[in-house]
Amino acid sequence: MPHSTKKELILGVMVGTAGISLLALWYHKIRKTRITMNLPKFLSLGKKFNSLTLQDETHSEQGASAVFQRRQLQILEKLNELLTNMEELKEEIRFLKETIPKLEEYLQDELGGKVTVHKISPQHRARKKRPTTAPSAATNNSSEEAESEGGYITANTDTEEQSFPVAKAFNTHVEELKLDVLLQKVDRLRINEANKEESFELLCDHKEKFSEEIEFLWRLARAYGDMYKLSTNTQEKKHYANIGKTLGERAITRAPMNGHCHLWYAVLCGYVSEFEGLQNKINCGHLFKEHLEKAIQLLPEEPFLYYLKGRYCYNVSKLSWIEKKMAATLFGEIPSSTVHEALHNFLKAEELQPGYSVSNYMFVAKCYVDLEESQDAWKFCNLALLLPIVTKEDKESHKEVKKIISSLKR
């Protein structure tokens, strides 16, 4: 190869190498500058991302809280439904226990060739039917609708005309009484537990004549409450409680300043709550408290009202967490009371009427037991045992007092 060609080749290589080096240096500088320039933008973008993430997290927390509350309410409703179904199942089992032995007797009689009258449900056997002088087709239809295939009675709570007869047949000839005479007779009969049913019958006999009179109306509501207490059949109790509550509601609407109307409406709300699920039970409890407070304002010297308020306070102090939570969901506030408040009201009833009732003494003793004041609990247990047993409630309270005494002896 000629010498001049070698020189050209070497020179070309050197120029190429220098060009590549310059190109590499230029690329390195440009890349570094871009990285430096874009870093603040990247950091700014990061801040924006964090801000958006924080907002999203805040919204998601609020959403999660709302979802949690909805799920909590759904759980409470499911529990309420479960409790209601359990109560219905218990009633079905009780009815089957009553019916199966009678069914066996019936089958034995049929197989033995005896002619027997078909048996019906226990509530129909328990009471005699009210005689009617002129039965109509409408009456027959209503009685057929009232009794279902299984022998159950369906209570139509918005009407009083139902097939729930009272124990004694009503007189075919009713003695017409003036309103004041009727009310005096009803109040006098009701003093004795054994005559409360007769008092109820007397009011029903004059229902059409005096149904618009407030003094008659609240007494009729009270009489339905009495029948609730006297009845031993669940369906009948529910029937009397619902009709009484309807009458009580009518009475307070027409006479909002009559303390007796509020008193007996509150009582009947309490009776109706015994057959309701958790949600309706709490609703009835809310109505009970509201109208009890109004009755106390209008009748401040009535010991029965303070006894009832004591019962309410005592029961609220024993409410479970789930019942308080449900009440808070429905009314926006958790019902609260203490054993001290309950005791105060029971003692107020005793102050207004010493020896008011066995039940009042029993609850006073219970309060003192809860407050760990056994000396006072003993005192009121002994006072309770000194009172005569007149009503079914007295009898039950007397048994409870003996249980309290047994616990105090341990």
Side-chain angles (χ1 to χ4, degrees):
M1 180 182 290
H3 182 69
S4 60
T5 306
K6 283 184 179 180
K7 279 185 177 180
E8 288 173 2
L9 181 63
I10 291 167
L11 184 61
V13 170
M14 288 175 68
V15 170
T17 304
I20 291 168
S21 298
L22 287 169
L23 183 64
L25 182 63
W26 175 80
Y27 176 76
H28 178 71
K29 284 182 179 179
I30 292 297
R31 185 172 177 272
K32 187 175 181 182
T33 305
R34 281 185 181 173
I35 290 170
T36 307
M37 291 294 290
N38 289 339
L39 186 59
K41 291 181 181 179
F42 178 76
L43 292 173
S44 174
L45 184 64
K47 286 178 183 177
K48 288 180 181 178
F49 178 75
N50 288 338
S51 175
L52 289 170
T53 306
L54 186 61
Q55 288 176 6
D56 289 343
E57 284 178 356
T58 304
H59 287 307
S60 64
E61 282 177 7
Q62 291 173 352
S65 176
V67 170
F68 178 72
Q69 287 178 355
R70 283 199 302 271
R71 286 180 180 172
Q72 203 171 39
L73 185 57
Q74 287 172 358
I75 291 167
L76 291 172
E77 287 173 350
K78 290 291 182 185
L79 286 170
N80 173 32
E81 188 180 340
L82 179 62
L83 289 170
T84 304
N85 291 337
M86 288 291 289
E87 289 298 323
E88 290 175 355
L89 183 61
K90 281 164 65 178
E91 181 60 24
E92 292 284 346
I93 292 168
R94 186 197 63 75
F95 176 74
L96 286 171
K97 283 181 179 178
E98 289 181 1
T99 307
I100 288 171
K102 301 297 180 184
L103 182 61
E104 289 174 354
E105 291 175 15
Y106 172 73
L107 289 172
Q108 287 173 1
D109 290 343
E110 287 291 320
L111 292 171
K114 297 178 183 178
V115 178
T116 55
V117 178
H118 288 276
K119 293 177 173 58
I120 56 176
S121 61
Q123 58 263 41
H124 284 253
R125 289 197 304 271
R127 298 181 181 275
K128 291 185 276 184
K129 291 206 170 184
R130 176 179 178 176
T132 51
T133 52
S136 63
T139 307
N140 292 336
N141 289 339
S142 64
S143 64
E144 286 171 9
E145 288 170 4
E147 187 176 349
S148 64
E149 290 180 7
Y152 292 103
I153 289 180
T154 55
N156 303 315
T157 58
D158 58 340
T159 177
E160 295 172 44
E161 300 302 325
Q162 295 184 331
S163 57
F164 279 88
V166 295
K168 295 178 183 177
F170 281 48
N171 295 325
T172 52
H173 173 71
V174 178
E175 180 188 358
E176 290 291 330
L177 299 173
K178 290 183 178 180
L179 181 61
D180 57 342
V181 176
L182 171 67
L183 299 181
Q184 287 175 15
K185 188 172 182 179
V186 163
D187 290 343
R188 190 169 59 251
L189 282 169
R190 192 178 173 275
I191 293 170
N192 191 326
E193 184 82 358
N195 295 330
K196 283 184 176 179
E197 194 170 326
E198 187 181 345
S199 173
F200 171 70
E201 292 175 5
L202 194 58
L203 286 166
C204 288
D205 285 335
H206 291 80
K207 181 172 58 180
E208 292 181 8
K209 185 177 180 182
F210 297 121
S211 61
E212 298 303 310
E213 299 289 340
I214 291 301
E215 291 299 311
F216 177 89
L217 192 56
W218 71 254
R219 282 176 171 84
L220 183 59
R222 179 184 68 178
Y224 272 96
D226 291 339
M227 293 303 292
Y228 164 90
K229 297 287 283 184
L230 291 171
S231 178
T232 56
N233 179 272
T234 303
Q235 291 298 322
E236 286 186 8
K237 287 174 85 72
K238 186 175 181 179
H239 162 82
Y240 290 129
N242 279 310
I243 290 183
K245 180 174 177 285
T246 302
L247 291 168
E249 193 168 2
R250 193 188 304 170
I252 60 171
T253 303
R254 295 191 54 207
M257 297 308 292
N258 187 308
H260 292 98
C261 295
H262 288 286
L263 162 59
W264 291 104
Y265 179 65
V267 169
L268 286 150
C269 282
Y271 292 162
V272 167
S273 72
E274 296 297 318
F275 307 100
E276 299 291 348
L278 183 57
Q279 185 169 333
N280 289 336
K281 193 184 287 287
I282 291 170
N283 187 40
C284 285
H286 187 73
L287 287 172
F288 177 88
K289 183 188 176 186
E290 178 189 345
H291 290 279
L292 189 64
E293 293 291 352
K294 287 180 182 177
I296 288 173
Q297 290 173 11
L298 296 165
L299 301 169
E301 300 300 313
E302 174 55 61
F304 183 44
L305 288 168
Y306 295 98
Y307 166 73
L308 290 174
K309 190 174 180 182
R311 290 280 301 265
Y312 172 81
C313 292
Y314 190 82
N315 288 335
V316 167
S317 73
K318 302 293 180 182
L319 280 179
S320 65
W321 174 85
I322 192 170
E323 289 170 322
K324 288 182 179 179
K325 197 71 178 172
M326 178 68 91
T329 304
L330 290 172
F331 303 109
E333 59 179 358
I334 298 176
S336 63
S337 191
T338 63
V339 175
H340 281 100
E341 287 181 70
L343 179 61
H344 170 76
N345 284 285
F346 291 131
L347 291 175
K348 179 67 175 177
E350 174 65 13
E351 178 191 326
L352 291 170
Q353 187 177 325
Y356 175 68
S357 70
V358 180
S359 185
N360 194 60
Y361 278 150
M362 181 267 289
F363 275 105
V364 172
K366 271 191 167 187
C367 289
Y368 279 126
V369 168
D370 290 345
L371 297 171
E372 298 182 354
E373 297 180 25
S374 56
Q375 203 75 13
D376 288 317
W378 269 107
K379 174 186 171 183
F380 282 93
C381 281
N382 290 328
L383 287 171
L385 295 177
L386 293 174
L387 291 180
I389 298 172
V390 179
T391 65
K392 186 167 73 172
E393 187 179 20
D394 291 341
K395 189 176 181 180
E396 290 169 358
S397 299
H398 199 270
K399 287 179 182 177
E400 190 64 29
V401 166
K402 288 185 174 179
K403 288 180 183 178
I404 295 169
I405 291 172
S406 298
S407 68
L408 290 170
K409 285 179 179 178
R410 293 186 195 130

